[in-house]
């Protein structure tokens, strides 16, 4: 049966009630279908190349070509209906007790043997972190901080640990660039604060290359185990950006200002052994035995008395917490301005418009 005007209006109201942000790609599709259903084919002039947001919206609408208004209306209703059911399904899942799993689009959360395992799970994009993933990780960490698991572990699916922030987070935002930068700073602040305040042992199992925020965050972990295949790269200057996740404080403190500057200012990529020598990595393992050795060790650690580990972590972090929150605040404010800078916009633009591989 064809969707009526009433169905369409109900769907528009339903969108406002979605429990979970559907992500930029879906929001663009909704926008395009709405415009096509109400105004017909796109006849607006194409926005300029630097007007990322309006250009993305125009592209999405224009891509619908001469799709009839009724079909666009039907597709809009169907899309909203699929989002409503998946949002209900995902809001029911909660990690915690052994054996349960919580899955979102970009991360996989499991808990077994006292260990909460959070896997960056977007291997086709080298585990780049989307806005939605930041939010899902915040939720997973909040759950892990109060459930009955003892240790929380991050790792990556596929050949990468993570390629850091998804560089299309800002180019595909549906509001203006300024709105995206504001949202980015708010999400980043909460995301990093969740790591600063996380009360249980936090371990990174770095299975492959790590870039950007997936590297800087390691300064807030309690242990970092790396495969000898892993590399550590923070190309902030190349991207017209500045350090985050408190690395402007933790890196110089851990490796001295000269070595920190090589990473954070000049974007020097470290091998796993170099990162170990600088104190960023706890131990490096040969790739061939990495998973077995690390997980055997973590399973043993997860049997240690949980309260004792939590209290020790609290003592270690206590004197630093206030400082870390202040650093996070300042880094987010600085980054917000960087995201709106020409240097940053040009760098992101050249990544998203690079030639596809043959
Ligand atoms: C709330 C907001 C908080 C923001 C916090 C800010 C954090 C700062 C950072 O994290 S800065 C770091 C950003 N990351 C990068 O600069 C890495 C960019 N990617 C690359 O340089 C390369 O992709 C690579 C070196 C990671 C891998 O190169 P390789 O040649 O092996 O593979 P591809 O380039 O073909 O990648 C495969 C597909 O994955 C997509 N992709 C990879 N990384 C990202 C990314 N960071 N953002 C978006 N997309 C990414 C890539 O585009 C390919 O996609 P395609 O197959 O569709 O073309």
């Amino acid at each position: 049966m064809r969707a009526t005007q009433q169905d369409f209006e109900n769907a528009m109201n339903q969108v406002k009630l979605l429990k979970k942000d559907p992500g930029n790609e879906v929001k663009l599709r909704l926008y395009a279908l709405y415009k096509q259903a109400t105004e017909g084919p796109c006849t607006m002039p194409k926005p300029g190349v630097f007007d990322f947001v309006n250009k993305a919206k125009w592209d999405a609408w224009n891509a619908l070509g001469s799709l009839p208004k009724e079909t666009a209306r039907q597709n809009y209703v169907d899309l909203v209906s699929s989002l409503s059911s998946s949002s209900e399904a995902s809001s029911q899942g909660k990690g915690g007790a052994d054996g349960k799993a919580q899955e979102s689009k970009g991360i996989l959360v499991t808990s077994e043997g006292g260990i909460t395992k959070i896997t960056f799970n977007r291997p086709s994009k080298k585990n780049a972190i989307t806005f939605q993933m930041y939010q899902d990780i915040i939720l997973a960490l909040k759950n892990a901080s109060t459930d009955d698991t003892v240790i929380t572990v991050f790792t990556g699916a596929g050949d990468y640990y993570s390629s850091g922030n998804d560089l299309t987070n800002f180019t595909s935002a549906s509001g203006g660039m300024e709105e995206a930068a504001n949202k980015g700073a708010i999400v980043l602040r909460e995301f990093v604060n969740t790591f600063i305040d996380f009360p249980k042992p936090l371990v990174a199992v770095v299975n492959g290359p790590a870039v950007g925020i997936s590297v800087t965050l390691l300064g807030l972990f309690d242990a970092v185990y790396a495969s000898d295949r892993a590399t550590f790269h923070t190309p902030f200057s190349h991207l017209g950006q500045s350090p985050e996740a408190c690395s402007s404080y933790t890196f110089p403190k851990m490796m001295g200002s000269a070595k920190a500057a090589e990473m954070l200012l000049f974007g020097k990529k470290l091998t796993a052994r170099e990162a170990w020598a600088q104190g960023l990595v706890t131990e490096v393992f040969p790739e061939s035995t990495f998973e077995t050795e690390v997980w055997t060790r973590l399973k043993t650690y997860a049997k240690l008395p949980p309260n004792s580990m939590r209290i020790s972590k609290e003592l270690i972090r206590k004197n630093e917490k206030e400082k870390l929150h202040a650093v996070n605040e300042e880094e987010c404010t600085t980054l917000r301005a960087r995201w709106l800078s020409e240097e940053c916009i040009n760098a992101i633009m050249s990544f998203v418009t690079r030639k596809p591989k043959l």
Side-chain angles (χ1 to χ4, degrees), residues 50 52 167 177 235-242 265 334-335 337-351:
F50 289 115
F52 293 122
L167 291 172
M177 188 64 188
F236 299 132
S237 300
H238 301 73
L239 291 166
Q241 299 191 26
S242 51
L265 266 56
T334 307
L335 254 180
R338 286 278 85 213
W339 288 327
L340 296 172
S341 73
E342 205 181 320
E343 286 179 345
C344 179
I345 290 173
N346 286 344
I348 292 180
M349 195 55 195
S350 72
F351 178 78

Side-chain angles (χ1 to χ4, degrees), residues 124-126 131 160 163 165-167 212-213 244 354 357:
S124 65
K125 298 285 179 186
K126 308 292 183 194
F131 268 132
Y160 261 65
S163 62
N165 187 44
D166 187 310
L167 291 172
I213 190 166
E244 76 289 290
R354 74 201 164 134
K357 288 178 192 152

Side-chain angles (χ1 to χ4, degrees), residues 52-54 57 170 172-180:
F52 293 122
V53 176
N54 287 318
K57 285 168 139 179
F170 293 103
S172 59
S174 52
M177 188 64 188
E178 187 138 356
E179 194 184 308

